[in-house]
Amino acid sequence: MTREKITLFDTTLRDGQQTPGVDFSVEDKIAIAAMLDEFGFDYVEGGYPGANPTDTSFFAKKRTKQAGFVAFGMTKRAGVSASNDPGLTQLLQAKADAICLVAKSWDYHVKVALGCTNEENLESIRDSVKAVVASAKTAMVDCEHFFDGYKANPDYAIACAKEAYDAGARWVVLCDTNGGTQPPEIREIVQAVIAAGIPGSSLGIHAHNDTGQAVANSLAAVEAGVRQIQGTLNGIGERCGNADLVTIIPTLCLKDTYASRFETAIDREKLVGLTRLSRAFDELLNRSPNHQSPYVGGSAFATKAGIHASALLKDPKTYEHVEPESVGNFRKVMVSDQGGKANFLNELKRRGITVAKDDPKLDTLISVVKDREASGYAYEGADASFELLALKTLGTVPDFFAVESFRVMVERRFDSHGQLKTVSEAVVKVLVDGEMVMSVAEGDGPVNALDIALRKDLGKYQSEIVDLELADYKVRILNGGTEAITRVLIESTDASGARWWTVGVSENIIDASFQALMDSIVYKLMKNRELAGQIAAE
């Protein structure tokens, strides 16, 4: 039996950006797009070029290698031709493979929000799609408020979807924008759309989670015939969030009711990276992962109950609906934790590090990582630090240089103009090939001063780090009070375009930053010698 393809469309960088408290920088978007692309999504929607400087800059060049790179924007305005609409023109000029146009499909919104006639709205949909097709980009249309619109005026909602399809849209996406539609309604309305002449192979579902049904609604739409699912990583999005692709993907891949009939771009081998992707994304957002997330949460395969633990020891299938290793997670009850060891072996293999599973150094590495994570380190979001730790534990890392000491001073004073000013200064003593070098630098803050001083003079290695740049710096307080443990995550990049993440943890924010900075520099030197970075620095 031939399985049908379910196309996976990620809108983390566009709809996910509507999440309260989430504000992606261009660097964030570049990093996340690379993560999504590497994982294997069919489409990555990057944002709305022309709507803000960040998205406009992000679309200055294509940001994916394999996934279709999608720009989002509105259909042309009523009363203006497609060729004279500045918003549509900017969309067509974006470095994207596809354009997803948002179109009104609820007549109430056409009247109130657009202030035009129903026929003018249909004309905007038709002409905009034709303009996208003419530009040789893939055309998609998000039919906003489709399900509410269908309930209010089914003929008009279907007319909007049909207009998009007939004009050449590859995908017509039915949006539950308010998130209030229930699974039986989704199924019934999708079937009506297909009966009206739009094949399921050209239909998508975009569900919001306002009644906790986004995943269920997406799967109900698949059952009814749609073959594209839109969603976000970890279900982020405005209000209550979007359909969580991190839950949907393993359900499609591992549950026989779907896996026997459908296939996705994520095979069993890629699926093993799901937990790492989910947690690395949370780290990038600088937020704590949800321990009770299906499949990938820290508690997803954990059990405390004695009777459950006893049964799990005899046969894990007694209390697990899938194998934790299948999604890159592990159970937290096994005494020997073989699942944990398998994960470590997989992570090392990805980096070209070969080690036998009975090698005592592997047990040492697992023990060190677990001790460090218990104290606040998070290696899912710091690939480079994990790789360096593994290389140090299992083999050797060259002693490029040693920092003998460093001192950071912060002075708050009035300058010659009587303005209050805060000045940070750092002094670093570095030993390179037996020669002591002392560097002094001022910076915008203590960490910036330390970074500049540390990289000011590394002797014979100085020329190797000229192109090293710190792209991002995130701080998270892990417990309360002024004595709190601090975790610092640093993102670095160089002239090759490679990116890597390093982590430091300490009661002192400067010390935590120093750890992460040191790892970043050592990793760069290792990468230059092709001793590290086959995977982590992509």
PDB file of all heavy atoms in Angstrom, residues 383-385 387-388 400 499-502 518-528 532-538:
ATOM      1  N   ASP A 383      25.571  23.006  21.926  1.00  0.00           N
ATOM      2  CA  ASP A 383      26.224  21.915  21.204  1.00  0.00           C
ATOM      3  C   ASP A 383      27.741  21.945  21.320  1.00  0.00           C
ATOM      4  O   ASP A 383      28.390  20.921  21.491  1.00  0.00           O
ATOM      5  CB  ASP A 383      25.845  21.987  19.714  1.00  0.00           C
ATOM      6  CG  ASP A 383      24.872  20.878  19.330  1.00  0.00           C
ATOM      7  OD1 ASP A 383      24.693  19.971  20.140  1.00  0.00           O
ATOM      8  OD2 ASP A 383      24.320  20.934  18.227  1.00  0.00           O
ATOM      9  N   ALA A 384      28.330  23.136  21.181  1.00  0.00           N
ATOM     10  CA  ALA A 384      29.782  23.239  21.169  1.00  0.00           C
ATOM     11  C   ALA A 384      30.380  22.888  22.526  1.00  0.00           C
ATOM     12  O   ALA A 384      31.400  22.193  22.607  1.00  0.00           O
ATOM     13  CB  ALA A 384      30.201  24.647  20.748  1.00  0.00           C
ATOM     14  N   SER A 385      29.761  23.357  23.603  1.00  0.00           N
ATOM     15  CA  SER A 385      30.260  23.020  24.944  1.00  0.00           C
ATOM     16  C   SER A 385      30.160  21.522  25.198  1.00  0.00           C
ATOM     17  O   SER A 385      31.056  20.924  25.805  1.00  0.00           O
ATOM     18  CB  SER A 385      29.476  23.792  26.014  1.00  0.00           C
ATOM     19  OG  SER A 385      29.881  25.147  26.062  1.00  0.00           O
ATOM     20  N   GLU A 387      30.307  19.172  22.908  1.00  0.00           N
ATOM     21  CA  GLU A 387      31.324  18.505  22.096  1.00  0.00           C
ATOM     22  C   GLU A 387      32.707  18.638  22.732  1.00  0.00           C
ATOM     23  O   GLU A 387      33.479  17.676  22.774  1.00  0.00           O
ATOM     24  CB  GLU A 387      31.319  19.070  20.681  1.00  0.00           C
ATOM     25  CG  GLU A 387      32.239  18.322  19.740  1.00  0.00           C
ATOM     26  CD  GLU A 387      31.976  18.619  18.273  1.00  0.00           C
ATOM     27  OE1 GLU A 387      30.972  19.285  17.963  1.00  0.00           O
ATOM     28  OE2 GLU A 387      32.784  18.173  17.435  1.00  0.00           O
ATOM     29  N   LEU A 388      33.026  19.828  23.244  1.00  0.00           N
ATOM     30  CA  LEU A 388      34.320  20.018  23.904  1.00  0.00           C
ATOM     31  C   LEU A 388      34.440  19.143  25.151  1.00  0.00           C
ATOM     32  O   LEU A 388      35.492  18.539  25.398  1.00  0.00           O
ATOM     33  CB  LEU A 388      34.508  21.490  24.289  1.00  0.00           C
ATOM     34  CG  LEU A 388      34.828  22.463  23.158  1.00  0.00           C
ATOM     35  CD1 LEU A 388      34.947  23.884  23.709  1.00  0.00           C
ATOM     36  CD2 LEU A 388      36.120  22.079  22.444  1.00  0.00           C
ATOM     37  N   PHE A 400      45.727  25.055  23.975  1.00  0.00           N
ATOM     38  CA  PHE A 400      46.090  26.201  23.142  1.00  0.00           C
ATOM     39  C   PHE A 400      46.669  27.333  23.990  1.00  0.00           C
ATOM     40  O   PHE A 400      47.686  27.918  23.661  1.00  0.00           O
ATOM     41  CB  PHE A 400      44.864  26.717  22.376  1.00  0.00           C
ATOM     42  CG  PHE A 400      44.284  25.731  21.408  1.00  0.00           C
ATOM     43  CD1 PHE A 400      43.081  25.101  21.661  1.00  0.00           C
ATOM     44  CD2 PHE A 400      44.957  25.419  20.230  1.00  0.00           C
ATOM     45  CE1 PHE A 400      42.533  24.198  20.760  1.00  0.00           C
ATOM     46  CE2 PHE A 400      44.429  24.521  19.313  1.00  0.00           C
ATOM     47  CZ  PHE A 400      43.218  23.898  19.590  1.00  0.00           C
ATOM     48  N   ARG A 499      27.723  28.548  13.065  1.00  0.00           N
ATOM     49  CA  ARG A 499      27.240  29.063  14.349  1.00  0.00           C
ATOM     50  C   ARG A 499      27.384  27.978  15.400  1.00  0.00           C
ATOM     51  O   ARG A 499      27.162  26.814  15.115  1.00  0.00           O
ATOM     52  CB  ARG A 499      25.752  29.458  14.258  1.00  0.00           C
ATOM     53  CG  ARG A 499      25.531  30.620  13.362  1.00  0.00           C
ATOM     54  CD  ARG A 499      24.053  30.927  13.106  1.00  0.00           C
ATOM     55  NE  ARG A 499      24.013  32.041  12.186  1.00  0.00           N
ATOM     56  CZ  ARG A 499      24.130  33.310  12.575  1.00  0.00           C
ATOM     57  NH1 ARG A 499      24.212  33.606  13.839  1.00  0.00           N
ATOM     58  NH2 ARG A 499      24.158  34.283  11.685  1.00  0.00           N
ATOM     59  N   TRP A 500      27.728  28.379  16.602  1.00  0.00           N
ATOM     60  CA  TRP A 500      27.801  27.397  17.688  1.00  0.00           C
ATOM     61  C   TRP A 500      27.434  28.063  19.009  1.00  0.00           C
ATOM     62  O   TRP A 500      27.492  29.272  19.156  1.00  0.00           O
ATOM     63  CB  TRP A 500      29.184  26.737  17.751  1.00  0.00           C
ATOM     64  CG  TRP A 500      30.345  27.664  17.945  1.00  0.00           C
ATOM     65  CD1 TRP A 500      30.929  28.016  19.131  1.00  0.00           C
ATOM     66  CD2 TRP A 500      31.087  28.352  16.925  1.00  0.00           C
ATOM     67  NE1 TRP A 500      31.979  28.876  18.913  1.00  0.00           N
ATOM     68  CE2 TRP A 500      32.106  29.098  17.576  1.00  0.00           C
ATOM     69  CE3 TRP A 500      30.999  28.406  15.527  1.00  0.00           C
ATOM     70  CZ2 TRP A 500      33.016  29.886  16.876  1.00  0.00           C
ATOM     71  CZ3 TRP A 500      31.902  29.193  14.839  1.00  0.00           C
ATOM     72  CH2 TRP A 500      32.894  29.912  15.501  1.00  0.00           C
ATOM     73  N   TRP A 501      27.040  27.224  19.945  1.00  0.00           N
ATOM     74  CA  TRP A 501      26.527  27.699  21.224  1.00  0.00           C
ATOM     75  C   TRP A 501      27.344  27.100  22.363  1.00  0.00           C
ATOM     76  O   TRP A 501      27.666  25.909  22.362  1.00  0.00           O
ATOM     77  CB  TRP A 501      25.059  27.301  21.397  1.00  0.00           C
ATOM     78  CG  TRP A 501      24.134  28.014  20.470  1.00  0.00           C
ATOM     79  CD1 TRP A 501      23.365  29.108  20.750  1.00  0.00           C
ATOM     80  CD2 TRP A 501      23.872  27.707  19.092  1.00  0.00           C
ATOM     81  NE1 TRP A 501      22.652  29.495  19.630  1.00  0.00           N
ATOM     82  CE2 TRP A 501      22.940  28.655  18.598  1.00  0.00           C
ATOM     83  CE3 TRP A 501      24.332  26.720  18.220  1.00  0.00           C
ATOM     84  CZ2 TRP A 501      22.475  28.646  17.303  1.00  0.00           C
ATOM     85  CZ3 TRP A 501      23.875  26.705  16.913  1.00  0.00           C
ATOM     86  CH2 TRP A 501      22.959  27.649  16.467  1.00  0.00           C
ATOM     87  N   THR A 502      27.680  27.949  23.341  1.00  0.00           N
ATOM     88  CA  THR A 502      28.442  27.497  24.508  1.00  0.00           C
ATOM     89  C   THR A 502      27.746  27.966  25.774  1.00  0.00           C
ATOM     90  O   THR A 502      26.993  28.945  25.765  1.00  0.00           O
ATOM     91  CB  THR A 502      29.878  28.042  24.460  1.00  0.00           C
ATOM     92  OG1 THR A 502      29.856  29.464  24.260  1.00  0.00           O
ATOM     93  CG2 THR A 502      30.665  27.398  23.320  1.00  0.00           C
ATOM     94  N   MET A 518      35.339  31.151  27.014  1.00  0.00           N
ATOM     95  CA  MET A 518      36.493  30.266  26.829  1.00  0.00           C
ATOM     96  C   MET A 518      36.135  29.102  25.908  1.00  0.00           C
ATOM     97  O   MET A 518      36.888  28.767  24.981  1.00  0.00           O
ATOM     98  CB  MET A 518      36.960  29.730  28.185  1.00  0.00           C
ATOM     99  CG  MET A 518      37.770  30.723  28.983  1.00  0.00           C
ATOM    100  SD  MET A 518      39.452  30.897  28.329  1.00  0.00           S
ATOM    101  CE  MET A 518      40.167  29.338  28.841  1.00  0.00           C
ATOM    102  N   ASP A 519      34.978  28.483  26.152  1.00  0.00           N
ATOM    103  CA  ASP A 519      34.548  27.369  25.296  1.00  0.00           C
ATOM    104  C   ASP A 519      34.407  27.829  23.847  1.00  0.00           C
ATOM    105  O   ASP A 519      34.765  27.105  22.914  1.00  0.00           O
ATOM    106  CB  ASP A 519      33.209  26.802  25.782  1.00  0.00           C
ATOM    107  CG  ASP A 519      33.386  25.693  26.814  1.00  0.00           C
ATOM    108  OD1 ASP A 519      34.540  25.442  27.215  1.00  0.00           O
ATOM    109  OD2 ASP A 519      32.372  25.080  27.210  1.00  0.00           O
ATOM    110  N   SER A 520      33.877  29.032  23.650  1.00  0.00           N
ATOM    111  CA  SER A 520      33.666  29.532  22.295  1.00  0.00           C
ATOM    112  C   SER A 520      34.987  29.680  21.548  1.00  0.00           C
ATOM    113  O   SER A 520      35.115  29.287  20.379  1.00  0.00           O
ATOM    114  CB  SER A 520      32.937  30.882  22.338  1.00  0.00           C
ATOM    115  OG  SER A 520      32.815  31.412  21.035  1.00  0.00           O
ATOM    116  N   ILE A 521      36.002  30.232  22.235  1.00  0.00           N
ATOM    117  CA  ILE A 521      37.298  30.445  21.590  1.00  0.00           C
ATOM    118  C   ILE A 521      37.996  29.112  21.312  1.00  0.00           C
ATOM    119  O   ILE A 521      38.524  28.883  20.214  1.00  0.00           O
ATOM    120  CB  ILE A 521      38.185  31.361  22.464  1.00  0.00           C
ATOM    121  CG1 ILE A 521      37.574  32.753  22.533  1.00  0.00           C
ATOM    122  CG2 ILE A 521      39.606  31.420  21.909  1.00  0.00           C
ATOM    123  CD1 ILE A 521      38.232  33.665  23.546  1.00  0.00           C
ATOM    124  N   VAL A 522      37.997  28.222  22.303  1.00  0.00           N
ATOM    125  CA  VAL A 522      38.638  26.911  22.113  1.00  0.00           C
ATOM    126  C   VAL A 522      37.934  26.139  20.997  1.00  0.00           C
ATOM    127  O   VAL A 522      38.590  25.499  20.160  1.00  0.00           O
ATOM    128  CB  VAL A 522      38.628  26.107  23.430  1.00  0.00           C
ATOM    129  CG1 VAL A 522      39.117  24.670  23.197  1.00  0.00           C
ATOM    130  CG2 VAL A 522      39.495  26.788  24.484  1.00  0.00           C
ATOM    131  N   TYR A 523      36.623  26.210  20.966  1.00  0.00           N
ATOM    132  CA  TYR A 523      35.876  25.525  19.910  1.00  0.00           C
ATOM    133  C   TYR A 523      36.252  26.067  18.536  1.00  0.00           C
ATOM    134  O   TYR A 523      36.413  25.303  17.573  1.00  0.00           O
ATOM    135  CB  TYR A 523      34.372  25.691  20.148  1.00  0.00           C
ATOM    136  CG  TYR A 523      33.520  24.878  19.202  1.00  0.00           C
ATOM    137  CD1 TYR A 523      33.264  23.533  19.449  1.00  0.00           C
ATOM    138  CD2 TYR A 523      32.985  25.442  18.049  1.00  0.00           C
ATOM    139  CE1 TYR A 523      32.491  22.782  18.580  1.00  0.00           C
ATOM    140  CE2 TYR A 523      32.232  24.701  17.173  1.00  0.00           C
ATOM    141  CZ  TYR A 523      31.979  23.373  17.458  1.00  0.00           C
ATOM    142  OH  TYR A 523      31.228  22.630  16.581  1.00  0.00           O
ATOM    143  N   LYS A 524      36.400  27.386  18.442  1.00  0.00           N
ATOM    144  CA  LYS A 524      36.803  28.006  17.175  1.00  0.00           C
ATOM    145  C   LYS A 524      38.175  27.482  16.728  1.00  0.00           C
ATOM    146  O   LYS A 524      38.370  27.135  15.550  1.00  0.00           O
ATOM    147  CB  LYS A 524      36.832  29.528  17.357  1.00  0.00           C
ATOM    148  CG  LYS A 524      37.554  30.314  16.259  1.00  0.00           C
ATOM    149  CD  LYS A 524      36.865  30.246  14.912  1.00  0.00           C
ATOM    150  CE  LYS A 524      37.544  31.201  13.928  1.00  0.00           C
ATOM    151  NZ  LYS A 524      37.090  30.958  12.539  1.00  0.00           N
ATOM    152  N   LEU A 525      39.112  27.393  17.657  1.00  0.00           N
ATOM    153  CA  LEU A 525      40.446  26.895  17.323  1.00  0.00           C
ATOM    154  C   LEU A 525      40.396  25.419  16.919  1.00  0.00           C
ATOM    155  O   LEU A 525      41.100  24.993  15.998  1.00  0.00           O
ATOM    156  CB  LEU A 525      41.398  27.093  18.509  1.00  0.00           C
ATOM    157  CG  LEU A 525      41.671  28.560  18.894  1.00  0.00           C
ATOM    158  CD1 LEU A 525      42.517  28.637  20.158  1.00  0.00           C
ATOM    159  CD2 LEU A 525      42.357  29.302  17.753  1.00  0.00           C
ATOM    160  N   MET A 526      39.550  24.641  17.591  1.00  0.00           N
ATOM    161  CA  MET A 526      39.381  23.228  17.228  1.00  0.00           C
ATOM    162  C   MET A 526      38.748  23.115  15.841  1.00  0.00           C
ATOM    163  O   MET A 526      39.175  22.315  14.997  1.00  0.00           O
ATOM    164  CB  MET A 526      38.485  22.530  18.246  1.00  0.00           C
ATOM    165  CG  MET A 526      39.097  22.380  19.626  1.00  0.00           C
ATOM    166  SD  MET A 526      40.295  21.036  19.708  1.00  0.00           S
ATOM    167  CE  MET A 526      39.199  19.612  19.734  1.00  0.00           C
ATOM    168  N   LYS A 527      37.749  23.938  15.608  1.00  0.00           N
ATOM    169  CA  LYS A 527      37.039  23.919  14.317  1.00  0.00           C
ATOM    170  C   LYS A 527      37.997  24.277  13.175  1.00  0.00           C
ATOM    171  O   LYS A 527      37.947  23.675  12.101  1.00  0.00           O
ATOM    172  CB  LYS A 527      35.871  24.903  14.375  1.00  0.00           C
ATOM    173  CG  LYS A 527      35.117  25.098  13.078  1.00  0.00           C
ATOM    174  CD  LYS A 527      33.984  26.082  13.282  1.00  0.00           C
ATOM    175  CE  LYS A 527      33.405  26.534  11.956  1.00  0.00           C
ATOM    176  NZ  LYS A 527      34.318  27.357  11.148  1.00  0.00           N
ATOM    177  N   ASN A 528      38.869  25.239  13.414  1.00  0.00           N
ATOM    178  CA  ASN A 528      39.837  25.631  12.389  1.00  0.00           C
ATOM    179  C   ASN A 528      40.738  24.460  11.983  1.00  0.00           C
ATOM    180  O   ASN A 528      41.241  24.412  10.863  1.00  0.00           O
ATOM    181  CB  ASN A 528      40.716  26.780  12.895  1.00  0.00           C
ATOM    182  CG  ASN A 528      39.958  28.098  12.953  1.00  0.00           C
ATOM    183  OD1 ASN A 528      38.825  28.201  12.495  1.00  0.00           O
ATOM    184  ND2 ASN A 528      40.585  29.118  13.521  1.00  0.00           N
ATOM    185  N   ALA A 532      36.726  19.544  15.378  1.00  0.00           N
ATOM    186  CA  ALA A 532      35.377  19.659  15.955  1.00  0.00           C
ATOM    187  C   ALA A 532      34.490  20.357  14.943  1.00  0.00           C
ATOM    188  O   ALA A 532      34.964  20.972  13.991  1.00  0.00           O
ATOM    189  CB  ALA A 532      35.416  20.460  17.258  1.00  0.00           C
ATOM    190  N   GLY A 533      33.179  20.233  15.174  1.00  0.00           N
ATOM    191  CA  GLY A 533      32.249  21.061  14.425  1.00  0.00           C
ATOM    192  C   GLY A 533      31.610  20.466  13.199  1.00  0.00           C
ATOM    193  O   GLY A 533      30.976  21.176  12.435  1.00  0.00           O
ATOM    194  N   GLN A 534      31.736  19.136  13.007  1.00  0.00           N
ATOM    195  CA  GLN A 534      31.102  18.563  11.815  1.00  0.00           C
ATOM    196  C   GLN A 534      29.604  18.787  11.822  1.00  0.00           C
ATOM    197  O   GLN A 534      28.989  19.014  10.803  1.00  0.00           O
ATOM    198  CB  GLN A 534      31.390  17.053  11.722  1.00  0.00           C
ATOM    199  CG  GLN A 534      32.840  16.725  11.438  1.00  0.00           C
ATOM    200  CD  GLN A 534      33.601  16.413  12.711  1.00  0.00           C
ATOM    201  OE1 GLN A 534      33.343  17.023  13.742  1.00  0.00           O
ATOM    202  NE2 GLN A 534      34.533  15.487  12.654  1.00  0.00           N
ATOM    203  N   ILE A 535      28.995  18.741  13.014  1.00  0.00           N
ATOM    204  CA  ILE A 535      27.538  18.910  13.118  1.00  0.00           C
ATOM    205  C   ILE A 535      27.199  20.184  13.876  1.00  0.00           C
ATOM    206  O   ILE A 535      26.410  21.000  13.425  1.00  0.00           O
ATOM    207  CB  ILE A 535      26.891  17.707  13.849  1.00  0.00           C
ATOM    208  CG1 ILE A 535      27.036  16.451  13.003  1.00  0.00           C
ATOM    209  CG2 ILE A 535      25.418  17.982  14.135  1.00  0.00           C
ATOM    210  CD1 ILE A 535      26.294  16.491  11.688  1.00  0.00           C
ATOM    211  N   ALA A 536      27.801  20.389  15.037  1.00  0.00           N
ATOM    212  CA  ALA A 536      27.386  21.470  15.934  1.00  0.00           C
ATOM    213  C   ALA A 536      27.541  22.841  15.318  1.00  0.00           C
ATOM    214  O   ALA A 536      26.824  23.761  15.637  1.00  0.00           O
ATOM    215  CB  ALA A 536      28.188  21.403  17.241  1.00  0.00           C
ATOM    216  N   ALA A 537      28.484  22.995  14.413  1.00  0.00           N
ATOM    217  CA  ALA A 537      28.723  24.327  13.844  1.00  0.00           C
ATOM    218  C   ALA A 537      28.125  24.473  12.465  1.00  0.00           C
ATOM    219  O   ALA A 537      28.681  25.077  11.590  1.00  0.00           O
ATOM    220  CB  ALA A 537      30.225  24.598  13.791  1.00  0.00           C
ATOM    221  N   GLU A 538      26.961  23.914  12.238  1.00  0.00           N
ATOM    222  CA  GLU A 538      26.283  24.058  10.943  1.00  0.00           C
ATOM    223  C   GLU A 538      25.420  25.299  10.961  1.00  0.00           C
ATOM    224  O   GLU A 538      24.890  25.667  11.994  1.00  0.00           O
ATOM    225  CB  GLU A 538      25.432  22.827  10.665  1.00  0.00           C
ATOM    226  CG  GLU A 538      26.284  21.658  10.220  1.00  0.00           C
ATOM    227  CD  GLU A 538      25.430  20.501   9.717  1.00  0.00           C
ATOM    228  OE1 GLU A 538      24.208  20.517   9.915  1.00  0.00           O
ATOM    229  OE2 GLU A 538      26.003  19.588   9.153  1.00  0.00           O
TER     230      GLU A 538
END
